[in-house]
Amino acid sequence: MIQLAIEAALEAGKFLKYNVGKVKNIERKQGEETNLVTEIDKQSEALIISKIKKHFPHHDILGEESGSLNSRSEFKWIIDPLDGTTNFTHGFPIFSVTIGIEHKGEIIAGVIYDPNADELFSAEKGNGAYLNKKRIHVSSTDSLIKSLLVTGFPYNVKENPQHVVEHFVNFLPLAQGVRRLGSAALDLAYIACGRLDGYWEVFLNPWDKAAGILLVREAGGKVTNFQNDEHDVIYNPNTLASNGRIHEYMLDVLRKIK
Ligand code: IPD
Ligand code: CA
Ligand code: CA
C-alpha cells in the first residue's frame, strides 16, 4: 500500500508542477471568495483515485475534491491532491500532494510529496519517518524563544473563528519566528524533519493532516488537539504538532484564549 501511495504522490506531484501557470478554470468553494479550487486539483485527485481503485477496489476513500467513498472497508485512503492551492495558482512554489492510509481508525502509512523541491516524506507506523529514504527526526529545541513556529489560517479567517487572530498575536513575541507557508502537509513534514519546531492551526481537515500526523509521531514528535488529547486528532479541527519538548509551552499559549 505504501508503495502505491508513493507512486501516486510522485505522479500527481509531477502533474502539479507541470501545470503551474497553466490553470484554465478557478472556482470559489462554498461561496468563499478566497477558497479556490482548480481543474488541476480535481485531475490530480482523479489520477490518485484511479490508481488506488485499480489495486484496492474495495477500500474506502476520502478525497478533498470528490468526498467520501464508503465501501465499509477496514482501510481508508485520505487524500489531498493539491495542498496549497492558493500558492499553486500564484506560481508560488510551496504546495504538495498528501496521502494517508487509515486502518480501523488508525493512520498506518502516510506520504507527502513536494514536487518543487523533489522531497518525498513517508512514514509507516512503527517504522520511523523518512525524507527521500533517509531517516528523519524532530528538532531538539527546548524553548519557545529558540523555536521557529508555523501556522495556517482557515479560509473564513475574516470571521476570526476560534480566535485564530489572537493565537497568532500571542505566539509572535514569544517565538524566534512564526511562518505561514500555505501547505499544512508541508508544515507537518517540516516539523518531522526538524526544520520547524512547532505548528498550530484551527479548522484543519482530515486530508490536510492524515499523513503529517503519522510523520511527526514517527519522527519522535507529538500531535494533539488544543486540549493535549492525542486521540482522534485527525477528525478534530484544532491541531497542535511539535517536537514534543515545546508542546506544553505551546499549549500554555493556546490556553490564554478561553
Ligand atoms: C490549505 C492549506 C493551508 C491551510 C488551510 C488549508 P488547500 O489547504 O493547507 O496551509 O492553512 O487551512 O485548507 O485548500 O490548499 O488544500
Ligand atoms: Ca489542504
Ligand atoms: Ca487541497
Side-chain angles (χ1 to χ4, degrees), residues 8-53:
L10 290 174
E11 201 175 309
K14 282 171 189 146
F15 171 76
L16 297 181
K17 191 175 173 193
Y18 174 79
N19 280 291
V20 171
K22 297 182 184 147
V23 172
K24 292 196 180 79
N25 185 22
I26 303 182
E27 291 166 42
R28 266 89 192 152
K29 273 193 192 172
Q30 293 142 20
E32 280 172 341
E33 193 60 28
T34 55
N35 191 352
L36 310 180
V37 60
T38 73
E39 78 276 15
I40 307 301
D41 297 63
K42 293 175 189 170
Q43 288 166 16
S44 174
E45 182 156 309
L47 186 158
I48 297 166
I49 291 181
S50 77
K51 269 187 168 300
I52 298 168
K53 280 194 173 159

mmCIF file of all heavy atoms in Angstrom, residues 8-53:
data_model
loop_
_atom_site.group_PDB
_atom_site.id
_atom_site.type_symbol
_atom_site.label_atom_id
_atom_site.label_comp_id
_atom_site.label_asym_id
_atom_site.label_seq_id
_atom_site.Cartn_x
_atom_site.Cartn_y
_atom_site.Cartn_z
ATOM 1 N N ALA A 8 1.670 7.120 -6.456
ATOM 2 C CA ALA A 8 0.567 8.043 -6.771
ATOM 3 C C ALA A 8 0.961 9.479 -6.438
ATOM 4 O O ALA A 8 0.697 10.410 -7.211
ATOM 5 C CB ALA A 8 -0.694 7.633 -6.009
ATOM 6 N N ALA A 9 1.620 9.670 -5.287
ATOM 7 C CA ALA A 9 2.007 11.032 -4.879
ATOM 8 C C ALA A 9 3.059 11.594 -5.841
ATOM 9 O O ALA A 9 3.004 12.773 -6.205
ATOM 10 C CB ALA A 9 2.525 11.019 -3.441
ATOM 11 N N LEU A 10 4.002 10.752 -6.253
ATOM 12 C CA LEU A 10 5.042 11.227 -7.185
ATOM 13 C C LEU A 10 4.417 11.626 -8.514
ATOM 14 O O LEU A 10 4.713 12.690 -9.074
ATOM 15 C CB LEU A 10 6.104 10.138 -7.419
ATOM 16 C CG LEU A 10 7.027 9.812 -6.236
ATOM 17 C CD1 LEU A 10 7.930 8.617 -6.571
ATOM 18 C CD2 LEU A 10 7.894 11.014 -5.853
ATOM 19 N N GLU A 11 3.528 10.779 -8.997
ATOM 20 C CA GLU A 11 2.899 11.054 -10.293
ATOM 21 C C GLU A 11 2.042 12.325 -10.237
ATOM 22 O O GLU A 11 2.137 13.203 -11.093
ATOM 23 C CB GLU A 11 2.055 9.849 -10.707
ATOM 24 C CG GLU A 11 1.798 9.826 -12.203
ATOM 25 C CD GLU A 11 1.060 8.563 -12.624
ATOM 26 O OE1 GLU A 11 1.506 7.449 -12.259
ATOM 27 O OE2 GLU A 11 0.030 8.699 -13.299
ATOM 28 N N ALA A 12 1.235 12.416 -9.174
ATOM 29 C CA ALA A 12 0.366 13.589 -9.041
ATOM 30 C C ALA A 12 1.204 14.856 -8.844
ATOM 31 O O ALA A 12 0.900 15.914 -9.404
ATOM 32 C CB ALA A 12 -0.596 13.392 -7.867
ATOM 33 N N GLY A 13 2.266 14.752 -8.068
ATOM 34 C CA GLY A 13 3.130 15.911 -7.818
ATOM 35 C C GLY A 13 3.774 16.421 -9.096
ATOM 36 O O GLY A 13 3.827 17.643 -9.334
ATOM 37 N N LYS A 14 4.224 15.490 -9.920
ATOM 38 C CA LYS A 14 4.833 15.908 -11.197
ATOM 39 C C LYS A 14 3.787 16.564 -12.087
ATOM 40 O O LYS A 14 4.063 17.540 -12.785
ATOM 41 C CB LYS A 14 5.502 14.716 -11.875
ATOM 42 C CG LYS A 14 6.833 14.456 -11.189
ATOM 43 C CD LYS A 14 7.539 13.200 -11.587
ATOM 44 C CE LYS A 14 8.720 13.034 -10.615
ATOM 45 N NZ LYS A 14 9.029 11.657 -10.297
ATOM 46 N N PHE A 15 2.588 16.031 -12.043
ATOM 47 C CA PHE A 15 1.474 16.610 -12.803
ATOM 48 C C PHE A 15 1.210 18.048 -12.339
ATOM 49 O O PHE A 15 1.031 18.962 -13.149
ATOM 50 C CB PHE A 15 0.227 15.725 -12.607
ATOM 51 C CG PHE A 15 -1.043 16.299 -13.152
ATOM 52 C CD1 PHE A 15 -1.304 16.288 -14.522
ATOM 53 C CD2 PHE A 15 -1.990 16.850 -12.288
ATOM 54 C CE1 PHE A 15 -2.483 16.835 -15.018
ATOM 55 C CE2 PHE A 15 -3.166 17.399 -12.788
ATOM 56 C CZ PHE A 15 -3.412 17.382 -14.151
ATOM 57 N N LEU A 16 1.230 18.262 -11.028
ATOM 58 C CA LEU A 16 1.004 19.622 -10.494
ATOM 59 C C LEU A 16 2.100 20.566 -10.976
ATOM 60 O O LEU A 16 1.824 21.673 -11.468
ATOM 61 C CB LEU A 16 1.005 19.621 -8.956
ATOM 62 C CG LEU A 16 -0.075 18.817 -8.234
ATOM 63 C CD1 LEU A 16 0.092 18.959 -6.721
ATOM 64 C CD2 LEU A 16 -1.473 19.253 -8.651
ATOM 65 N N LYS A 17 3.333 20.138 -10.828
ATOM 66 C CA LYS A 17 4.457 21.011 -11.185
ATOM 67 C C LYS A 17 4.383 21.392 -12.674
ATOM 68 O O LYS A 17 4.591 22.543 -13.049
ATOM 69 C CB LYS A 17 5.779 20.303 -10.864
ATOM 70 C CG LYS A 17 6.960 21.247 -10.965
ATOM 71 C CD LYS A 17 8.242 20.603 -10.533
ATOM 72 C CE LYS A 17 9.393 21.552 -10.839
ATOM 73 N NZ LYS A 17 10.676 20.893 -10.735
ATOM 74 N N TYR A 18 4.065 20.417 -13.503
ATOM 75 C CA TYR A 18 3.963 20.656 -14.948
ATOM 76 C C TYR A 18 2.872 21.689 -15.254
ATOM 77 O O TYR A 18 2.962 22.444 -16.218
ATOM 78 C CB TYR A 18 3.654 19.311 -15.630
ATOM 79 C CG TYR A 18 3.391 19.441 -17.105
ATOM 80 C CD1 TYR A 18 4.446 19.573 -18.005
ATOM 81 C CD2 TYR A 18 2.086 19.442 -17.603
ATOM 82 C CE1 TYR A 18 4.220 19.716 -19.362
ATOM 83 C CE2 TYR A 18 1.841 19.590 -18.955
ATOM 84 C CZ TYR A 18 2.909 19.723 -19.829
ATOM 85 O OH TYR A 18 2.677 19.870 -21.167
ATOM 86 N N ASN A 19 1.865 21.724 -14.412
ATOM 87 C CA ASN A 19 0.714 22.594 -14.690
ATOM 88 C C ASN A 19 0.755 23.965 -14.014
ATOM 89 O O ASN A 19 -0.218 24.717 -14.103
ATOM 90 C CB ASN A 19 -0.584 21.866 -14.338
ATOM 91 C CG ASN A 19 -0.970 20.910 -15.448
ATOM 92 O OD1 ASN A 19 -1.336 21.336 -16.542
ATOM 93 N ND2 ASN A 19 -0.817 19.621 -15.182
ATOM 94 N N VAL A 20 1.855 24.290 -13.354
ATOM 95 C CA VAL A 20 1.974 25.637 -12.772
ATOM 96 C C VAL A 20 1.875 26.650 -13.920
ATOM 97 O O VAL A 20 2.524 26.507 -14.958
ATOM 98 C CB VAL A 20 3.323 25.813 -12.027
ATOM 99 C CG1 VAL A 20 3.524 27.272 -11.627
ATOM 100 C CG2 VAL A 20 3.362 24.924 -10.796
ATOM 101 N N GLY A 21 1.019 27.632 -13.742
ATOM 102 C CA GLY A 21 0.870 28.670 -14.780
ATOM 103 C C GLY A 21 -0.050 28.265 -15.925
ATOM 104 O O GLY A 21 -0.253 29.024 -16.866
ATOM 105 N N LYS A 22 -0.620 27.039 -15.855
ATOM 106 C CA LYS A 22 -1.474 26.586 -16.969
ATOM 107 C C LYS A 22 -2.935 26.418 -16.549
ATOM 108 O O LYS A 22 -3.718 25.799 -17.259
ATOM 109 C CB LYS A 22 -0.957 25.253 -17.500
ATOM 110 C CG LYS A 22 0.438 25.356 -18.087
ATOM 111 C CD LYS A 22 0.906 24.030 -18.651
ATOM 112 C CE LYS A 22 2.335 24.185 -19.134
ATOM 113 N NZ LYS A 22 3.130 22.988 -18.986
ATOM 114 N N VAL A 23 -3.279 26.941 -15.381
ATOM 115 C CA VAL A 23 -4.650 26.764 -14.879
ATOM 116 C C VAL A 23 -5.632 27.519 -15.770
ATOM 117 O O VAL A 23 -5.412 28.669 -16.119
ATOM 118 C CB VAL A 23 -4.761 27.284 -13.417
ATOM 119 C CG1 VAL A 23 -6.194 27.283 -12.942
ATOM 120 C CG2 VAL A 23 -3.887 26.451 -12.499
ATOM 121 N N LYS A 24 -6.727 26.832 -16.133
ATOM 122 C CA LYS A 24 -7.712 27.488 -17.009
ATOM 123 C C LYS A 24 -8.955 27.916 -16.241
ATOM 124 O O LYS A 24 -9.637 28.846 -16.603
ATOM 125 C CB LYS A 24 -8.134 26.507 -18.116
ATOM 126 C CG LYS A 24 -7.019 26.199 -19.087
ATOM 127 C CD LYS A 24 -7.589 25.561 -20.356
ATOM 128 C CE LYS A 24 -6.480 25.244 -21.333
ATOM 129 N NZ LYS A 24 -5.743 23.993 -20.970
ATOM 130 N N ASN A 25 -9.237 27.183 -15.160
ATOM 131 C CA ASN A 25 -10.528 27.400 -14.523
ATOM 132 C C ASN A 25 -10.387 27.449 -12.997
ATOM 133 O O ASN A 25 -10.095 26.444 -12.366
ATOM 134 C CB ASN A 25 -11.446 26.239 -14.951
ATOM 135 C CG ASN A 25 -12.838 26.417 -14.446
ATOM 136 O OD1 ASN A 25 -13.260 27.534 -14.127
ATOM 137 N ND2 ASN A 25 -13.565 25.323 -14.319
ATOM 138 N N ILE A 26 -10.582 28.635 -12.417
ATOM 139 C CA ILE A 26 -10.525 28.757 -10.950
ATOM 140 C C ILE A 26 -11.931 28.990 -10.419
ATOM 141 O O ILE A 26 -12.596 29.939 -10.812
ATOM 142 C CB ILE A 26 -9.611 29.929 -10.507
ATOM 143 C CG1 ILE A 26 -8.201 29.763 -11.084
ATOM 144 C CG2 ILE A 26 -9.555 30.012 -8.987
ATOM 145 C CD1 ILE A 26 -7.206 30.842 -10.660
ATOM 146 N N GLU A 27 -12.379 28.073 -9.555
ATOM 147 C CA GLU A 27 -13.705 28.254 -8.924
ATOM 148 C C GLU A 27 -13.529 28.613 -7.458
ATOM 149 O O GLU A 27 -12.487 28.335 -6.872
ATOM 150 C CB GLU A 27 -14.495 26.942 -8.981
ATOM 151 C CG GLU A 27 -14.933 26.544 -10.374
ATOM 152 C CD GLU A 27 -15.398 25.087 -10.397
ATOM 153 O OE1 GLU A 27 -16.110 24.661 -9.449
ATOM 154 O OE2 GLU A 27 -15.021 24.378 -11.341
ATOM 155 N N ARG A 28 -14.561 29.209 -6.878
ATOM 156 C CA ARG A 28 -14.574 29.530 -5.453
ATOM 157 C C ARG A 28 -15.433 28.493 -4.757
ATOM 158 O O ARG A 28 -16.581 28.264 -5.167
ATOM 159 C CB ARG A 28 -15.181 30.921 -5.210
ATOM 160 C CG ARG A 28 -14.182 32.026 -5.123
ATOM 161 C CD ARG A 28 -13.872 32.625 -6.483
ATOM 162 N NE ARG A 28 -12.701 33.491 -6.402
ATOM 163 C CZ ARG A 28 -11.886 33.706 -7.430
ATOM 164 N NH1 ARG A 28 -12.080 33.122 -8.591
ATOM 165 N NH2 ARG A 28 -10.868 34.514 -7.293
ATOM 166 N N LYS A 29 -14.874 27.880 -3.688
ATOM 167 C CA LYS A 29 -15.631 26.831 -2.980
ATOM 168 C C LYS A 29 -16.576 27.423 -1.960
ATOM 169 O O LYS A 29 -16.220 28.388 -1.274
ATOM 170 C CB LYS A 29 -14.661 25.930 -2.225
ATOM 171 C CG LYS A 29 -14.116 24.796 -3.033
ATOM 172 C CD LYS A 29 -13.445 23.833 -2.067
ATOM 173 C CE LYS A 29 -12.615 22.827 -2.821
ATOM 174 N NZ LYS A 29 -11.812 22.015 -1.908
ATOM 175 N N GLN A 30 -17.712 26.808 -1.792
ATOM 176 C CA GLN A 30 -18.701 27.195 -0.764
ATOM 177 C C GLN A 30 -18.933 28.702 -0.724
ATOM 178 O O GLN A 30 -19.083 29.291 0.347
ATOM 179 C CB GLN A 30 -18.237 26.735 0.619
ATOM 180 C CG GLN A 30 -18.222 25.233 0.764
ATOM 181 C CD GLN A 30 -17.039 24.734 1.577
ATOM 182 O OE1 GLN A 30 -16.444 25.495 2.331
ATOM 183 N NE2 GLN A 30 -16.680 23.493 1.404
ATOM 184 N N GLY A 31 -18.881 29.344 -1.894
ATOM 185 C CA GLY A 31 -19.146 30.773 -1.976
ATOM 186 C C GLY A 31 -18.090 31.641 -1.296
ATOM 187 O O GLY A 31 -18.255 32.854 -1.195
ATOM 188 N N GLU A 32 -16.980 31.024 -0.828
ATOM 189 C CA GLU A 32 -15.950 31.823 -0.133
ATOM 190 C C GLU A 32 -14.969 32.394 -1.157
ATOM 191 O O GLU A 32 -14.357 31.650 -1.931
ATOM 192 C CB GLU A 32 -15.191 30.956 0.884
ATOM 193 C CG GLU A 32 -15.960 30.780 2.175
ATOM 194 C CD GLU A 32 -15.293 29.756 3.093
ATOM 195 O OE1 GLU A 32 -14.480 28.951 2.610
ATOM 196 O OE2 GLU A 32 -15.612 29.762 4.264
ATOM 197 N N GLU A 33 -14.834 33.686 -1.151
ATOM 198 C CA GLU A 33 -14.040 34.414 -2.144
ATOM 199 C C GLU A 33 -12.599 33.890 -2.268
ATOM 200 O O GLU A 33 -12.024 33.864 -3.350
ATOM 201 C CB GLU A 33 -14.033 35.905 -1.753
ATOM 202 C CG GLU A 33 -13.528 36.857 -2.818
ATOM 203 C CD GLU A 33 -14.329 36.825 -4.113
ATOM 204 O OE1 GLU A 33 -15.540 36.500 -4.064
ATOM 205 O OE2 GLU A 33 -13.734 37.100 -5.161
ATOM 206 N N THR A 34 -12.001 33.457 -1.137
ATOM 207 C CA THR A 34 -10.586 33.068 -1.170
ATOM 208 C C THR A 34 -10.349 31.560 -1.175
ATOM 209 O O THR A 34 -9.205 31.112 -1.198
ATOM 210 C CB THR A 34 -9.844 33.669 0.050
ATOM 211 O OG1 THR A 34 -10.542 33.263 1.228
ATOM 212 C CG2 THR A 34 -9.795 35.192 -0.016
ATOM 213 N N ASN A 35 -11.419 30.767 -1.124
ATOM 214 C CA ASN A 35 -11.264 29.311 -1.086
ATOM 215 C C ASN A 35 -11.319 28.756 -2.512
ATOM 216 O O ASN A 35 -12.382 28.515 -3.068
ATOM 217 C CB ASN A 35 -12.380 28.718 -0.218
ATOM 218 C CG ASN A 35 -12.150 27.252 0.092
ATOM 219 O OD1 ASN A 35 -11.240 26.632 -0.467
ATOM 220 N ND2 ASN A 35 -12.971 26.700 0.958
ATOM 221 N N LEU A 36 -10.145 28.572 -3.108
ATOM 222 C CA LEU A 36 -10.078 28.258 -4.544
ATOM 223 C C LEU A 36 -10.006 26.764 -4.814
ATOM 224 O O LEU A 36 -9.459 26.004 -4.030
ATOM 225 C CB LEU A 36 -8.816 28.909 -5.140
ATOM 226 C CG LEU A 36 -8.584 30.390 -4.828
ATOM 227 C CD1 LEU A 36 -7.291 30.865 -5.490
ATOM 228 C CD2 LEU A 36 -9.762 31.241 -5.277
ATOM 229 N N VAL A 37 -10.540 26.385 -5.975
ATOM 230 C CA VAL A 37 -10.289 25.031 -6.491
ATOM 231 C C VAL A 37 -10.145 25.135 -8.005
ATOM 232 O O VAL A 37 -10.879 25.882 -8.654
ATOM 233 C CB VAL A 37 -11.389 24.019 -6.063
ATOM 234 C CG1 VAL A 37 -12.761 24.420 -6.561
ATOM 235 C CG2 VAL A 37 -11.041 22.612 -6.516
ATOM 236 N N THR A 38 -9.171 24.411 -8.547
ATOM 237 C CA THR A 38 -8.926 24.480 -9.993
ATOM 238 C C THR A 38 -9.170 23.102 -10.610
ATOM 239 O O THR A 38 -9.287 22.100 -9.895
ATOM 240 C CB THR A 38 -7.461 24.881 -10.283
ATOM 241 O OG1 THR A 38 -6.623 23.758 -9.976
ATOM 242 C CG2 THR A 38 -7.033 26.088 -9.475
ATOM 243 N N GLU A 39 -9.187 23.067 -11.942
ATOM 244 C CA GLU A 39 -9.341 21.774 -12.613
ATOM 245 C C GLU A 39 -8.130 20.874 -12.314
ATOM 246 O O GLU A 39 -8.229 19.649 -12.365
ATOM 247 C CB GLU A 39 -9.556 21.965 -14.128
ATOM 248 C CG GLU A 39 -8.311 22.280 -14.962
ATOM 249 C CD GLU A 39 -7.940 23.774 -14.957
ATOM 250 O OE1 GLU A 39 -8.456 24.529 -14.107
ATOM 251 O OE2 GLU A 39 -7.120 24.178 -15.804
ATOM 252 N N ILE A 40 -7.010 21.490 -11.945
ATOM 253 C CA ILE A 40 -5.796 20.702 -11.660
ATOM 254 C C ILE A 40 -5.946 19.949 -10.332
ATOM 255 O O ILE A 40 -5.525 18.787 -10.233
ATOM 256 C CB ILE A 40 -4.540 21.619 -11.643
ATOM 257 C CG1 ILE A 40 -4.446 22.434 -12.940
ATOM 258 C CG2 ILE A 40 -3.271 20.814 -11.402
ATOM 259 C CD1 ILE A 40 -4.355 21.617 -14.219
ATOM 260 N N ASP A 41 -6.573 20.589 -9.319
ATOM 261 C CA ASP A 41 -6.871 19.871 -8.061
ATOM 262 C C ASP A 41 -7.679 18.605 -8.389
ATOM 263 O O ASP A 41 -7.384 17.515 -7.887
ATOM 264 C CB ASP A 41 -7.756 20.726 -7.121
ATOM 265 C CG ASP A 41 -7.122 22.009 -6.636
ATOM 266 O OD1 ASP A 41 -6.831 22.884 -7.480
ATOM 267 O OD2 ASP A 41 -6.921 22.172 -5.437
ATOM 268 N N LYS A 42 -8.723 18.803 -9.225
ATOM 269 C CA LYS A 42 -9.652 17.696 -9.498
ATOM 270 C C LYS A 42 -8.970 16.589 -10.318
ATOM 271 O O LYS A 42 -9.153 15.405 -10.051
ATOM 272 C CB LYS A 42 -10.882 18.221 -10.246
ATOM 273 C CG LYS A 42 -11.721 19.147 -9.369
ATOM 274 C CD LYS A 42 -12.871 19.753 -10.138
ATOM 275 C CE LYS A 42 -13.557 20.845 -9.322
ATOM 276 N NZ LYS A 42 -14.520 21.625 -10.082
ATOM 277 N N GLN A 43 -8.162 17.007 -11.302
ATOM 278 C CA GLN A 43 -7.495 15.999 -12.137
ATOM 279 C C GLN A 43 -6.439 15.229 -11.333
ATOM 280 O O GLN A 43 -6.242 14.036 -11.535
ATOM 281 C CB GLN A 43 -6.868 16.669 -13.365
ATOM 282 C CG GLN A 43 -7.930 17.116 -14.374
ATOM 283 C CD GLN A 43 -7.379 18.077 -15.428
ATOM 284 O OE1 GLN A 43 -6.182 18.208 -15.616
ATOM 285 N NE2 GLN A 43 -8.269 18.771 -16.114
ATOM 286 N N SER A 44 -5.765 15.950 -10.435
ATOM 287 C CA SER A 44 -4.767 15.291 -9.590
ATOM 288 C C SER A 44 -5.446 14.237 -8.713
ATOM 289 O O SER A 44 -4.947 13.113 -8.572
ATOM 290 C CB SER A 44 -4.057 16.344 -8.733
ATOM 291 O OG SER A 44 -3.183 15.730 -7.821
ATOM 292 N N GLU A 45 -6.595 14.598 -8.159
ATOM 293 C CA GLU A 45 -7.312 13.628 -7.308
ATOM 294 C C GLU A 45 -7.796 12.430 -8.139
ATOM 295 O O GLU A 45 -7.693 11.280 -7.699
ATOM 296 C CB GLU A 45 -8.485 14.293 -6.591
ATOM 297 C CG GLU A 45 -9.199 13.322 -5.666
ATOM 298 C CD GLU A 45 -9.956 14.015 -4.546
ATOM 299 O OE1 GLU A 45 -9.366 14.861 -3.860
ATOM 300 O OE2 GLU A 45 -11.144 13.693 -4.375
ATOM 301 N N ALA A 46 -8.295 12.700 -9.342
ATOM 302 C CA ALA A 46 -8.788 11.606 -10.201
ATOM 303 C C ALA A 46 -7.648 10.631 -10.524
ATOM 304 O O ALA A 46 -7.830 9.406 -10.508
ATOM 305 C CB ALA A 46 -9.393 12.185 -11.476
ATOM 306 N N LEU A 47 -6.485 11.189 -10.769
ATOM 307 C CA LEU A 47 -5.308 10.361 -11.085
ATOM 308 C C LEU A 47 -4.965 9.435 -9.891
ATOM 309 O O LEU A 47 -4.734 8.239 -10.073
ATOM 310 C CB LEU A 47 -4.180 11.345 -11.366
ATOM 311 C CG LEU A 47 -2.802 10.982 -11.854
ATOM 312 C CD1 LEU A 47 -2.211 12.227 -12.522
ATOM 313 C CD2 LEU A 47 -1.906 10.551 -10.735
ATOM 314 N N ILE A 48 -4.973 10.009 -8.698
ATOM 315 C CA ILE A 48 -4.627 9.219 -7.498
ATOM 316 C C ILE A 48 -5.691 8.142 -7.244
ATOM 317 O O ILE A 48 -5.378 6.969 -7.021
ATOM 318 C CB ILE A 48 -4.494 10.145 -6.260
ATOM 319 C CG1 ILE A 48 -3.344 11.131 -6.451
ATOM 320 C CG2 ILE A 48 -4.294 9.325 -4.984
ATOM 321 C CD1 ILE A 48 -3.340 12.299 -5.464
ATOM 322 N N ILE A 49 -6.956 8.549 -7.349
ATOM 323 C CA ILE A 49 -8.035 7.592 -7.047
ATOM 324 C C ILE A 49 -8.060 6.445 -8.060
ATOM 325 O O ILE A 49 -8.286 5.287 -7.696
ATOM 326 C CB ILE A 49 -9.396 8.324 -6.957
ATOM 327 C CG1 ILE A 49 -9.407 9.209 -5.704
ATOM 328 C CG2 ILE A 49 -10.561 7.334 -6.932
ATOM 329 C CD1 ILE A 49 -10.684 9.975 -5.450
ATOM 330 N N SER A 50 -7.783 6.750 -9.316
ATOM 331 C CA SER A 50 -7.833 5.663 -10.314
ATOM 332 C C SER A 50 -6.746 4.633 -10.003
ATOM 333 O O SER A 50 -6.952 3.426 -10.173
ATOM 334 C CB SER A 50 -7.719 6.208 -11.735
ATOM 335 O OG SER A 50 -6.395 6.546 -12.017
ATOM 336 N N LYS A 51 -5.607 5.071 -9.526
ATOM 337 C CA LYS A 51 -4.531 4.131 -9.163
ATOM 338 C C LYS A 51 -4.957 3.258 -7.976
ATOM 339 O O LYS A 51 -4.724 2.050 -7.963
ATOM 340 C CB LYS A 51 -3.290 4.916 -8.743
ATOM 341 C CG LYS A 51 -2.331 5.207 -9.886
ATOM 342 C CD LYS A 51 -1.080 5.834 -9.322
ATOM 343 C CE LYS A 51 0.051 5.892 -10.307
ATOM 344 N NZ LYS A 51 0.537 4.657 -10.855
ATOM 345 N N ILE A 52 -5.576 3.904 -6.970
ATOM 346 C CA ILE A 52 -5.989 3.150 -5.778
ATOM 347 C C ILE A 52 -7.042 2.111 -6.170
ATOM 348 O O ILE A 52 -6.966 0.935 -5.796
ATOM 349 C CB ILE A 52 -6.551 4.090 -4.689
ATOM 350 C CG1 ILE A 52 -5.468 5.077 -4.231
ATOM 351 C CG2 ILE A 52 -7.098 3.295 -3.502
ATOM 352 C CD1 ILE A 52 -5.992 6.227 -3.378
ATOM 353 N N LYS A 53 -8.006 2.565 -6.977
ATOM 354 C CA LYS A 53 -9.118 1.660 -7.333
ATOM 355 C C LYS A 53 -8.633 0.457 -8.143
ATOM 356 O O LYS A 53 -9.198 -0.635 -8.048
ATOM 357 C CB LYS A 53 -10.162 2.433 -8.122
ATOM 358 C CG LYS A 53 -11.071 3.251 -7.221
ATOM 359 C CD LYS A 53 -12.272 3.716 -7.988
ATOM 360 C CE LYS A 53 -13.288 4.379 -7.104
ATOM 361 N NZ LYS A 53 -14.186 5.236 -7.890
#
